[in-house]
């Protein structure tokens, strides 16, 4: 299964050696949970002939999520992106919305797709989430809202953002794609702002293959969202408003319920993995792992590493190139930053100048493999490789030219 540890730089796969892993080691392998329970649920769906349109599994999934978060309403949707789009429309966002550029591109695409101008804002270097001071600087008469992201499951500075939004009469929407199961001041994410949106994509801790959910404590908004995600239907042949198809299907909900049942085990494994990486990499020069507030609930579904080239000896992109050759498929999330992707690069060519932290993170960050398919032995090998690369950095740099 595994190649030998590296003794000299010629053992590196990039330089002709054998890869450390025979099979690719991914960052986001799905956590499956109890297969038998899942198969039983699939059988029930097939036997019942009820495949979608708010069937029993979707209702059960929504109720379970609601209890778990303590929020008043939870609306399951077919993916997180649609959940964000529905929320943006239902909240009546128009004109300009302040958003980070250091996020998965879906966050920003949602705004652009709906004809709203994304106003890119820099992030805090320690947490990688929106910097509230910079947010306040970007508010104009055209601003209708703030779309903040609890990146890596790390909560935003919610109190400060809430105060800024309240003072300026702005809506506050949280992209909580990474933050299901995380808490802020002891309260579950899902209870803040006007609404919060989770993703349950296959790569997330809890998954529904594709899926998401909108969570809110606003009754009127919830009612609006429920209609919107089902074409606006309020009865068999009555349509009350402009809607779309944002429904989750029964198979996805069954996966979600099964996945939720095993969530405590997933978190235990991810926490163990995170701590192993932390112990093994803590003393390595130029390596910093993103820290989580241990007083809060965290899921540790992302292990995020920042690499300082001047101390480590190699830059992030060289390390990624070497690790990929070893079949360790670390990812440069969220390189190159949304502002450097189309259409934003063309629309806002100079915006990078006011995003120094974002630009720096885009050069330094990589995420490491974790999840239930990643064992302590694999982590040991990966950490050994990181140590080896640091020790051999000058010679490797020379060979890479
Ligand atoms: N907001 C934020 C902040 C987000 O991060 C996301 C999604 C969204 C909004 C939108 O939510 P959704 O509409 O997706 O529900 C992946 C996911 O596709 C995406 O959902 C996620 N964020 C993003 C952070 O990661 P890619 O382009 O990196 O996917 P991909 O195919 O390269 O897969 C990632 C890793 O997982 C690879 O190493 C392969 C592995 N993998 C992937 C899949 C799909 C598997 O092992 N099995 C699988 O089935 O975006």
């Amino acid at each position: 299964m595994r190649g030998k540890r590296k003794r000299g730089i010629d053992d590196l796969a990039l330089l002709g050696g054998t890869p450390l892993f025979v099979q690719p080691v991914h960052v986001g392998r799905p956590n499956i949970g109890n297969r038998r329970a899942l198969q039983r649920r699939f059988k029930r769906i097939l036997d019942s002939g009820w495949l979608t349109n708010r069937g029993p599994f979707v209702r059960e999934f929504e109720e379970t999520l609601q209890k778990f978060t303590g929020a008043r309403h939870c609306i399951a949707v077919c993916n997180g992106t649609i959940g964000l789009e529905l929320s943006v429309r239902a909240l009546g966002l128009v004109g300009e919305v302040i958003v980070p550029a250091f996020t998965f591109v879906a966050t920003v695409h949602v705004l652009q797709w709906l004809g709203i101008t994304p106003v890119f804002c820099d992030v805090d270097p320690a947490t990688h989430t929106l910097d509230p001071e910079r947010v306040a600087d970007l508010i104009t008469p055209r601003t209708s809202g703030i779309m903040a992201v609890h990146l890596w499951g790390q909560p935003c500075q919610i109190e400060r953002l809430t105060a800024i939004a309240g003072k300026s009469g702005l809506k506050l929407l949280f992209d909580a794609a990474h933050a299901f199961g995380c808490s802020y001041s002891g309260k579950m994410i899902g209870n803040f702002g006007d609404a919060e949106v989770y993703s349950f994509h296959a790569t997330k801790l809890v998954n529904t293959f594709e899926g998401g959910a909108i969570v809110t404590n606003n009754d009127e908004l919830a009612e609006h969202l429920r209609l919107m995600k089902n074409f606006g239907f309020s009865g068999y042949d009555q349509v009350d408003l402009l809607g779309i198809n944002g429904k989750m299907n029964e198979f996805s909900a069954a996966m979600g319920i099964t996945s939720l049942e095993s969530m405590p085990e997933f978190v235990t494994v991810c926490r163990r993995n995170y701590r192993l990486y932390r112990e093994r990499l803590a003393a390595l020069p130029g390596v910093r792992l993103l820290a989580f507030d241990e007083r809060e609930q965290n899921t540790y579904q992302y292990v995020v590493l920042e690499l300082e080239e001047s101390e480590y000896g190699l830059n992030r992109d060289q390390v990624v190139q070497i690790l990929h050759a070893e079949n360790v498929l670390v990812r440069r999330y969220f390189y190159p930053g949304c502002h450097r992707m189309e259409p934003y690069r063309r629309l806002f060519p100079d915006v990078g100048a006011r995003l120094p932290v974002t630009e720096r993170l885009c050069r330094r960050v990589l995420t490491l493999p974790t999840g239930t398919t990643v064992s302590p032995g694999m982590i040991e090998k990966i950490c050994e490789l990181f140590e080896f690369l640091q020790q051999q950095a000058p010679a490797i740099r020379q060979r890479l030219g």
Side-chain angles (χ1 to χ4, degrees):
M1 154 96 179
R2 280 182 234 136
K4 286 205 205 94
R5 63 178 297 210
K6 310 289 165 182
R7 297 190 186 281
I9 65 169
D10 289 324
D11 291 332
L12 290 173
L14 190 67
L15 301 176
T18 314
L20 197 56
F21 295 93
V22 176
Q23 300 291 337
V25 184
H26 294 278
V27 293
R29 222 74 191 122
N31 302 310
I32 303 294
N34 185 329
R35 281 164 197 257
R36 277 171 189 258
L38 182 63
Q39 280 157 356
R40 276 197 300 272
R41 289 186 171 114
F42 282 180
K43 183 174 181 311
R44 267 174 62 194
I45 296 169
L46 294 172
D47 290 347
S48 76
W50 197 273
L51 307 186
T52 184
N53 288 7
R54 207 148 189 266
F57 281 116
V58 165
R59 289 201 300 273
E60 183 183 337
F61 185 51
E62 288 183 340
E63 279 159 27
T64 314
L65 291 177
Q66 214 178 310
K67 281 190 200 127
F68 182 86
T69 57
R72 286 170 66 82
H73 303 282
C74 178
I75 298 138
V77 287
C78 54
N79 61 58
T81 308
I82 290 287
L84 288 169
E85 283 186 13
L86 289 167
S87 305
V88 166
R89 277 196 85 114
L91 287 169
L93 297 184
V94 288
E96 296 175 355
V97 168
I98 297 169
V99 67
F102 193 59
T103 179
F104 187 61
V105 73
T107 317
V108 182
H109 275 350
V110 161
L111 298 171
Q112 186 71 20
W113 193 261
L114 294 172
I116 296 167
T117 305
V119 175
F120 291 119
C121 181
D122 214 357
V123 293
D124 178 280
T127 64
H128 303 182
T129 62
L130 267 189
D131 181 341
E133 264 174 48
R134 301 283 85 77
V135 170
D137 294 343
L138 294 170
I139 297 173
T140 73
R142 293 193 70 223
T143 312
S144 62
I146 302 167
M147 186 141 132
V149 184
H150 303 302
L151 206 74
W152 319 123
Q154 179 109 286
C156 297
Q157 296 184 44
I158 295 176
E159 263 170 59
R160 290 183 66 193
L161 291 174
T162 307
I164 293 169
K167 196 171 143 208
S168 306
L170 305 178
K171 300 287 185 199
L172 179 58
L173 174 62
F174 287 107
D175 176 341
H178 301 178
F180 179 70
C182 302
S183 71
Y184 174 81
S185 290
K187 209 168 166 184
M188 296 312 281
I189 293 293
N191 289 280
F192 300 100
D194 291 289
E196 306 208 54
V197 181
Y198 304 128
S199 165
F200 296 120
H201 181 260
T203 53
K204 299 291 184 277
L205 187 90
V206 167
N207 93 88
T208 58
F209 309 126
E210 289 276 1
I214 310 166
V215 190
T216 178
N217 287 314
N218 180 329
D219 299 346
E220 209 180 313
L221 180 69
E223 183 51 28
H224 196 161
L225 286 163
R226 282 196 194 288
L227 291 174
M228 269 178 115
K229 77 151 185 183
N230 188 25
F231 314 102
F233 275 115
S234 64
Y236 273 134
D237 41 24
Q238 175 154 344
V239 171
D240 291 354
L241 47 78
L242 175 65
I244 196 149
N245 184 354
K247 290 167 288 162
M248 178 178 276
N249 69 69
E250 287 290 278
F251 292 96
S252 287
M255 178 76 226
I257 293 163
T258 310
S259 193
L260 270 175
E261 284 169 352
S262 295
M263 185 176 163
E265 294 135 56
F266 299 160
V267 174
T268 302
V269 172
C270 289
R271 189 192 298 114
R272 175 204 68 193
N273 288 354
Y274 170 78
R275 288 183 177 162
L276 282 173
Y277 277 121
R278 194 176 59 186
E279 275 162 34
R280 290 291 276 101
L281 298 177
L284 212 52
V287 170
R288 175 178 101 90
L289 277 202
L290 186 86
F292 294 90
D293 183 345
E294 302 281 343
R295 294 163 303 182
E296 300 287 354
Q297 291 197 49
N298 301 299
T299 58
Y300 305 92
Q301 70 173 315
Y302 292 100
V303 180
V304 183
L305 186 150
E306 273 179 60
L307 211 63
E308 173 53 50
E309 180 182 2
S310 63
E311 293 171 41
Y312 187 73
L314 296 169
N315 66 38
R316 190 271 317 265
D317 292 347
Q318 290 167 327
V319 170
V320 169
Q321 199 190 358
I322 294 167
L323 290 176
H324 279 201
E326 301 293 346
N327 261 332
V328 182
L329 301 187
V330 294
R331 292 294 294 268
R332 298 189 294 180
Y333 288 142
F334 288 99
Y335 174 86
C338 296
H339 62 301
R340 294 195 181 277
M341 294 175 174
E342 289 299 348
Y344 316 105
R345 185 170 52 179
R346 187 171 33 87
L347 291 171
F348 315 108
D350 304 321
V351 76
R354 69 155 191 258
L355 305 172
V357 179
T358 300
E359 298 262 278
R360 201 170 120 88
L361 293 176
C362 288
R363 286 194 301 270
R364 293 159 55 104
V365 166
L366 58 88
T367 58
L368 298 172
T370 188
T372 49
T373 59
V374 177
S375 68
M378 292 157 91
I379 292 175
E380 178 58 30
K381 287 275 167 200
I382 293 169
C383 292
E384 239 175 40
L385 182 58
F386 267 96
E387 281 167 354
F388 176 81
L389 296 181
Q390 193 268 331
Q391 287 156 8
Q392 302 293 329
I396 296 171
R397 260 199 329 264
Q398 212 171 27
R399 287 289 290 277
L400 292 179

